[in-house]
Amino acid sequence: MDKWMNNNNFNKVLALALSIILWAMVHTDTTSTPQTTSRLETKIIENVPIQVTGLDKDKYILSRDVDSVRMEVMGKSTDLTYVFSDAYKVTLDLSQAKPGTSEIALKYSVPRGVQLISITPDKVHVRIEQRNTKSFPVTVATKGAPAEGYQVGSPVIEPSTAKVTLAASELDKVAKVQGIIELDGEKATVTEKRMKLYAYDKSGNELKDAVIEPEAVSVDLPITLPFKSVPLSIGYTGRLPDSLVLSKVTSDVDSVILYGQEPALASVTSYEATIDLSSISSAGTSTLKLNLEPPEGTESIEPKSVNVTVTASEAGERTFSGIPVTLEGIGSGMTASVTSPSGSSVSLTLYGASSLLNQLDKGNIKAVADLSGLDAGNHVVPLQISLPRFVELSGGQRPSVTVQLHNPASSASPSASPVNGSVATPEPSSEPASGSGTVEEPSPGAVNGTPSPTPQAASPESGNVGEAGNVPPVQ
C-alpha cells in the first residue's frame, strides 16, 4: 500500500476522481430545489357541501343562504390527483349559535400535503327558528282516469291525519297535506296503496322543508260503476192461513244501492223484494232472509240479501161509528153538504190483527169525498178511506155518501147528477160545507173507492212494502 501511495501517478488519478465526485454532489444539490418547486399545482373544487354540526334538530330549524362552497387548493400533482373530493370538508359549527339571524365563519379541513388558497364563500348567513308542529287532514289527488264508465269514490285513508313540522313563520303557510294516486283504466278498488305525503301552500306550491309524520299513508280508493240508492219495498206472493193477517213487517235496511251504467239506473226508482206468505203457517214473529238480484240492465246490487221480520196475528173485526166525512174539491163559489147519511159521518167495520184494531180510534181513520168536477145538484160520491197499515175494510164494504152541491149564483134548480149509476135526492138535512174541507192528508194504505177485501190474497203495492189483501207499505 505504501508503494501505491508513494507513486505520483496514482495520487493524480485519485485526486481527479475525488474532484469529480465533489462536483457531482454540488451540482445535484443546486438543481434539486427548482425541480421540486416546479411540481406544485393548483386545483379548483366545486360544490363542496357544507356540513352542519352542533344544532339541536329536534328543537330548532335552520335556514341558510348557501349549501356548498368553492375551494381553491395547491399541492403536488400526485396529492391533488389521487385524493378524492370528499376528503375536503367544510363545516358550519352552530354549537354556540342562538335563535335569530347571524353570520358564521366556515371551518375546513384538507388532505395532508394540500394547502388551501381560498374558500368562497368563507362565511354563511344563517337563521335559526323554533321548530313547531301542527296536524292536518290528509287528502288525495288523482292523476289519470279509471276505465270508461267507472267513477272514483271517496278514499279511505289510514291514518287520516299527519303532523307537519316547520319553522313558526313557515307553518302558517301550510294549506293542505296531500298525496297523489295515479290511475290507468282501473275497474276495481285500489286497496292498501302506499301514498307519499307532501305539504302545499294555498297556491299549490310544495313546502320542501316540511317534515311530515308519517311520510306515507295507506289508501283504499273505490273504483266503481255509477250507482244509485233506491228505496226498498216488500212485495208478497202466496197466501197466509185463513185465520191469520199481517200485523208488522220490517226490513233491516230501507234502501239498496244499484250499480250500472247511467241509462240503466235512470229508469229504476225503487227495488222490490218478495216474501212468500205460504211459508208462514202460524201466528208469531219470524225472520226471513231474502236474496236480492240486480234488476235487468244493472250490474250489481248492495246488499246481496236483506233480513225481513214478519209478524202474523189472529184476525179480528171492529166497528167504528161517527167517522166524520170531509168534502174536498168543491168548485169555486159553490157550497156542499152531506145529505145522507145524516150527521155527515159514517160507520165502518175494519178487519185486521186484533192487537192493531184495539189500538185504533176514530182519529186514525179518514173518510174523504172528492167533489172535483161536479156541478150543482145531488151526487152519490164514493168515499176514499185512509187506514193504518195492515188494516182494511171488512166484508166488501163500498162506503159512499150523498152530497148536495149548490151554486148560489145560479137560479136554476139543482138537478140530480148520477154518479156511478146511482142517484139519491133526499131532503137536505146536514150543515153546508164549503172549500176543500179540513181533512188531513190520507195516510199510507188508503182504500180508494170501494174495494172488496181479500185479506189473505197477495196484491203488491208500491211503497216500502206491498200488501197482502190491503196490507199497506212498511215505513
Side-chain angles (χ1 to χ4, degrees), residues 132-134 136 164-175 207:
N132 284 352
T133 300
K134 184 178 179 181
F136 293 86
V164 177
T165 301
L166 273 172
S169 61
E170 293 292 309
L171 191 59
D172 290 339
K173 296 180 181 179
V174 178
L207 300 172

Side-chain angles (χ1 to χ4, degrees), residues 113-173:
V114 177
Q115 299 177 10
L116 178 69
I117 297 177
S118 66
I119 179 172
T120 306
D122 60 351
K123 295 179 180 180
V124 176
H125 293 277
V126 299
R127 182 177 180 180
I128 299 174
E129 294 185 78
Q130 191 81 24
R131 180 185 289 270
N132 284 352
T133 300
K134 184 178 179 181
S135 293
F136 293 86
V138 176
T139 59
V140 177
T142 58
K143 285 186 177 180
E148 184 177 356
Y150 285 72
Q151 60 187 20
V152 178
S154 299
V156 178
I157 306 169
E158 182 60 37
S160 59
T161 60
K163 293 181 179 180
V164 177
T165 301
L166 273 172
S169 61
E170 293 292 309
L171 191 59
D172 290 339
K173 296 180 181 179

Side-chain angles (χ1 to χ4, degrees), residues 104-242:
I104 300 177
L106 295 171
K107 298 179 180 181
Y108 66 90
S109 64
V110 295
R112 189 172 182 177
V114 177
Q115 299 177 10
L116 178 69
I117 297 177
S118 66
I119 179 172
T120 306
D122 60 351
K123 295 179 180 180
V124 176
H125 293 277
V126 299
R127 182 177 180 180
I128 299 174
E129 294 185 78
Q130 191 81 24
R131 180 185 289 270
N132 284 352
T133 300
K134 184 178 179 181
S135 293
F136 293 86
V138 176
T139 59
V140 177
T142 58
K143 285 186 177 180
E148 184 177 356
Y150 285 72
Q151 60 187 20
V152 178
S154 299
V156 178
I157 306 169
E158 182 60 37
S160 59
T161 60
K163 293 181 179 180
V164 177
T165 301
L166 273 172
S169 61
E170 293 292 309
L171 191 59
D172 290 339
K173 296 180 181 179
V174 178
K176 61 183 177 181
V177 174
Q178 190 173 77
I180 297 175
I181 291 182
E182 295 188 359
L183 300 177
D184 185 18
E186 286 81 359
K187 293 184 178 181
T189 295
V190 178
T191 59
E192 298 183 0
K193 178 76 172 181
R194 295 296 293 174
M195 181 180 71
K196 184 173 176 60
L197 299 179
Y198 303 89
Y200 298 94
D201 63 17
K202 63 181 180 180
S203 299
N205 301 313
E206 181 186 352
L207 300 172
K208 297 184 180 296
D209 294 331
V211 178
I212 304 176
E213 178 62 33
E215 294 181 349
V217 295
S218 176
V219 178
D220 289 350
L221 187 63
I223 305 293
T224 65
L225 286 164
F227 60 89
K228 180 179 182 181
S229 178
V230 297
L232 173 68
S233 62
I234 305 297
Y236 302 93
T237 187
R239 295 174 60 89
L240 289 171
D242 291 341

Side-chain angles (χ1 to χ4, degrees), residues 208-454:
K208 297 184 180 296
D209 294 331
V211 178
I212 304 176
E213 178 62 33
E215 294 181 349
V217 295
S218 176
V219 178
D220 289 350
L221 187 63
I223 305 293
T224 65
L225 286 164
F227 60 89
K228 180 179 182 181
S229 178
V230 297
L232 173 68
S233 62
I234 305 297
Y236 302 93
T237 187
R239 295 174 60 89
L240 289 171
D242 291 341
S243 62
L244 298 182
V245 290
L246 293 178
S247 60
K248 187 176 183 180
V249 177
T250 59
S251 170
D252 59 356
V253 297
D254 296 324
S255 61
V256 297
I257 298 176
L258 302 177
Y259 294 87
Q261 299 298 334
E262 293 287 356
L265 294 178
S267 62
V268 182
T269 58
S270 66
Y271 183 89
E272 182 178 274
T274 303
I275 293 176
D276 183 4
L277 296 178
S278 63
S279 63
I280 301 173
S281 59
S282 60
T285 299
S286 57
T287 299
L288 306 177
K289 181 178 180 181
L290 305 182
N291 294 322
L292 308 183
E293 296 292 336
E296 185 177 355
T298 62
E299 299 291 335
S300 62
I301 184 171
E302 290 292 340
K304 304 295 184 185
S305 63
V306 295
N307 293 319
V308 179
T309 302
V310 180
T311 300
S313 304
E314 295 293 334
E317 288 186 343
R318 183 182 173 189
T319 299
F320 292 82
S321 301
I323 300 170
V325 175
T326 301
L327 304 180
E328 293 185 350
I330 301 173
S332 177
M334 290 188 175
T335 60
S337 61
V338 177
T339 60
S340 178
S342 61
S344 300
S345 63
V346 294
S347 295
L348 300 174
T349 299
L350 304 184
Y351 178 88
S354 298
S355 58
L356 293 181
L357 295 176
N358 292 336
Q359 297 173 9
L360 294 183
D361 57 34
K362 290 189 293 185
N364 303 123
I365 306 168
K366 305 298 179 184
V368 177
D370 186 3
L371 308 181
S372 300
L374 298 183
D375 297 326
N378 293 325
H379 305 272
V380 176
V381 182
L383 292 178
Q384 298 174 355
I385 308 299
S386 296
L387 298 172
R389 292 191 303 162
F390 308 117
V391 176
E392 61 184 42
L393 291 174
S394 176
Q397 297 173 83
R398 299 176 180 272
S400 63
V401 293
T402 301
V403 178
Q404 184 181 68
L405 283 168
H406 178 65
N407 188 351
S410 174
S411 59
S413 299
S415 60
S417 176
V419 175
N420 294 336
S422 62
V423 178
T425 58
E427 291 296 323
S429 60
S430 59
E431 296 180 1
S434 62
S436 60
T438 59
V439 71
E440 298 178 328
E441 279 298 316
S443 63
V447 178
N448 297 325
T450 55
S452 298
T454 52

